[in-house]
């Protein structure tokens, strides 16, 4: 991992501002986003030269009428039933993209679990704890932040649960 950063850079995103304010170590990774890319997360893993099981995507789901954030490896998919179960819900479905963008303050493909406009309940896939560091969106397409799973969980008050599959 490159040298850890704690300072906010000019043009920082709400996610990087939140990380800097929390005083945790993190590294920002930028890459040129290709608008034609079919998968934002897989594009990030490839561009950064990081295994797809260490790059996590941020998805927003509706669990029993409440928006909930799911953070899962880009190499797999979100198990909606497992997500609902992790937060004591009955049913989960992917949230309307416009509602996800409006609530988090981020655009699709750049939604970060950190620094959201409205703090949402968050579930981090349990596989994250098997890595020293993971990468998540830093708040815009083409920008990832690398940090420890423990720091991500603490800053988002995330529940760790097996919500990813395959």
């Amino acid at each position: 991992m490159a040298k850890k950063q704690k300072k906010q850079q000019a043009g920082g995103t709400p996610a990087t501002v939140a990380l800097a304010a929390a005083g945790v170590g993190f590294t920002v990774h930028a890459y040129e986003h290709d608008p034609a890319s079919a998968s934002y997360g897989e594009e990030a893993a490839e561009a950064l030269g990081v295994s797809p099981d260490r790059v996590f995507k941020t998805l927003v789901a509706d669990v029993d009428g409440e928006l909930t954030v799911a953070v899962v490896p880009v190499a797999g998919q979100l198990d909606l039933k497992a997500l609902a179960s992790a937060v004591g819900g009955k049913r989960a479905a992917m949230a309307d993209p416009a509602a996800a963008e409006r609530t988090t303050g981020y655009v699709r493909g750049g939604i970060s679990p950190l620094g959201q406009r409205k703090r949402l309940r968050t579930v981090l896939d349990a596989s994250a704890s098997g890595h020293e560091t993971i990468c998540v969106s830093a708040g815009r397409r083409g920008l990832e932040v690398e940090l420890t799973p423990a720091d991500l969980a603490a800053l988002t008050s995330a529940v760790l649960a097996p919500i990813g599959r395959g």
Side-chain angles (χ1 to χ4, degrees):
M1 182 169 80
K3 186 177 177 184
K4 292 185 176 187
Q5 298 179 8
K6 288 190 179 178
K7 63 181 181 177
Q8 175 188 350
Q9 296 179 348
T13 66
T16 60
V17 169
L19 285 165
V24 301
F26 65 96
T27 304
V28 174
H29 300 282
Y31 60 93
E32 192 65 38
H33 166 62
D34 177 2
S37 179
S39 168
Y40 299 115
E42 289 174 12
E43 174 192 30
E46 187 175 317
L48 300 177
V50 175
S51 172
D53 66 334
R54 279 191 49 229
V55 178
F56 283 63
K57 55 190 169 187
T58 305
L59 303 171
V60 181
D62 181 317
V63 179
D64 297 337
E66 183 179 345
L67 292 182
T68 302
V69 171
V71 185
V72 297
V74 301
Q77 295 180 328
L78 171 61
D79 181 334
L80 289 166
K81 287 184 181 184
L83 175 63
S85 177
V87 296
K90 294 181 181 177
R91 287 190 31 210
M94 294 308 297
D96 172 65
E101 290 179 344
R102 186 173 50 255
T103 304
T104 64
Y106 294 117
V107 298
R108 202 166 52 120
I111 294 177
S112 177
L114 300 156
Q116 296 176 357
R117 182 178 290 149
K118 178 182 178 192
R119 189 172 179 153
L120 299 175
R121 200 167 39 167
T122 302
V123 181
L124 175 60
D125 186 67
S127 69
S129 61
H131 303 287
E132 185 178 322
T133 62
I134 60 171
C135 296
V136 296
S137 176
R140 69 173 183 253
R141 297 172 187 152
L143 196 65
E144 294 282 309
V145 65
E146 182 177 355
L147 72 166
T148 68
D151 284 341
L152 179 62
L155 293 172
T156 60
S157 301
V159 171
L160 261 67
I163 59 169
R165 62 174 182 220

